[in-house]
Amino acid sequence: MPLDPAPASTPSPTSPPPPVRFWSVDDLPALDPDPFLDEMMREEPVTRIRLAHGEGHAWLVTRYEDVRFVTSDPRFSREAVVGRDVTSMRPEPVASQTAGLQYIDPPGHNRLRRVVARAFTGRAMQRLRPMAERRAAELLDAMAEAGPPADLMEQLHGPFPIAVIRDFLGVDEKDWHRWAATGEALLSAGPDAEERAKAAARVTRARIAELLQRRRAEPRDDLAGVLAQAAADGELTDDEAISLATAIQVSGGHAVRNNSGSMMYALLSRPHHMDRLRREPELLPKAVDELFRYVPHRNGVGIPRVAVEDVEVGGQLIRAGEVVYNAYVAANRDPAVFPDPDVLDFDRTNGPHLAFGHGPHHCMAAIMARMEAEIMIGSVLTRFPGIRLAVPPREVEFQRQGLIRGPRTLPVTW
């Protein structure tokens, strides 16, 4: 969809600034959309919020076109966030603010992205896919041998993404359980979240530094090998390499775990969708894309941006220096773009969803996340044609891991 053209002159607001609202980002049942985001999209699509941590307030953008505009316009900077104690959901950033791909703008961002792109090539995914398919088959064979009932989160959605990102990053299997525990802590919520996140960040940094050092001595065709070589060649600093590996570990292991679990829950709680995919397996890639749009892949909002000059968005004047958050999960249910947005519809022909972001910071791991979702769903449908929930849908317990939303358990039988 085309973006609105940038204004040619200094913008002027068309409405007074809205009041600052505290957004608690509550734990929500199942796949229910956040009622706060629904209300804001309908009544105040560009509003001001305060979150649980940090200082001051921020703008919140919820409509599809406005989110695309903010995420692609260079007048909104992620670099400008660094060093500021902005209002946020997290007490501690998941990745380094001073060396991470997430907190740098073009052209510097392009330099880091070019390095990471070497690991996300079609050739790399072709190498990874057979390994991932074998791992999924092994996990489901073990589940079948143990017999019903089973917990799909424990048997598949937990270990599978971690195994895939382990192979992709290059971590030895015997060491991965330690890495998985610190990844969970980086995304944790609760009264002790700040101390847990800081401790996990220190441990994760040390482990990745050790892994990269090993790759310098023992080169391999994995992400750690790519980053180690780039650091040795002077393309990256050591801090940049560590931050990139941390972000990919967390998003590739823990985000995929919860998001894919939510996708499977969406299918299991709508048996007619499962039946259709069994009848039309060629529909799976399109169905996965719609599931990415439909499933609330996170709670709240992620990394903010700062306006570097005055910009009008959705009739509101955002002043230079003000903080802006984009609500991707709200934009994915904007009825102006997705008719009947709360309906899971495998026949949609609307604009692309924003589950992987937009603009320069569009998620580079999207190709791998799609591959993993297709393998998990396709493998379950093939291996267990009669699979169904073992409890009523509303009895499936969901959890909130700070930023990420997904089932705590997913009890099934067959």
Side-chain angles (χ1 to χ4, degrees), residues 267-310:
L267 292 173
L268 289 166
S269 58
R270 297 161 180 79
H272 58 289
H273 283 85
M274 292 278 274
D275 291 342
R276 185 176 179 193
L277 287 179
R278 290 189 188 97
R279 294 193 311 270
E280 305 174 52
E282 70 281 0
L283 187 62
L284 184 57
K286 189 174 181 181
V288 164
D289 211 48
E290 167 67 354
L291 284 161
F292 273 117
R293 180 204 69 84
Y294 178 81
V295 165
H297 61 282
R298 61 168 305 119
N299 281 295
V301 285
I303 298 173
R305 290 166 171 79
V306 172
V308 296
E309 62 181 80
D310 291 359

Side-chain angles (χ1 to χ4, degrees), residues 157 162 165 180 218 292 305 390:
H157 296 284
I162 288 177
I165 199 66
E218 303 172 4
F292 273 117
R305 290 166 171 79

Side-chain angles (χ1 to χ4, degrees), residues 284-351:
L284 184 57
K286 189 174 181 181
V288 164
D289 211 48
E290 167 67 354
L291 284 161
F292 273 117
R293 180 204 69 84
Y294 178 81
V295 165
H297 61 282
R298 61 168 305 119
N299 281 295
V301 285
I303 298 173
R305 290 166 171 79
V306 172
V308 296
E309 62 181 80
D310 291 359
V311 187
E312 185 179 330
V313 180
Q316 294 288 354
L317 179 60
I318 298 178
R319 298 283 185 184
E322 291 186 320
V323 179
V324 185
Y325 280 103
N326 294 286
Y328 297 111
V329 292
N332 278 342
R333 296 205 181 194
D334 185 342
V337 179
F338 305 104
D340 296 321
D342 295 332
V343 173
L344 184 64
D345 181 1
F346 294 160
D347 296 313
R348 285 192 186 276
T349 57
N350 315 100

Side-chain angles (χ1 to χ4, degrees), residues 229-244:
Q229 185 61 53
D233 293 343
E235 293 179 271
L236 298 176
T237 67
D238 287 343
D239 279 350
E240 287 170 339
I242 291 169
S243 181
L244 289 168

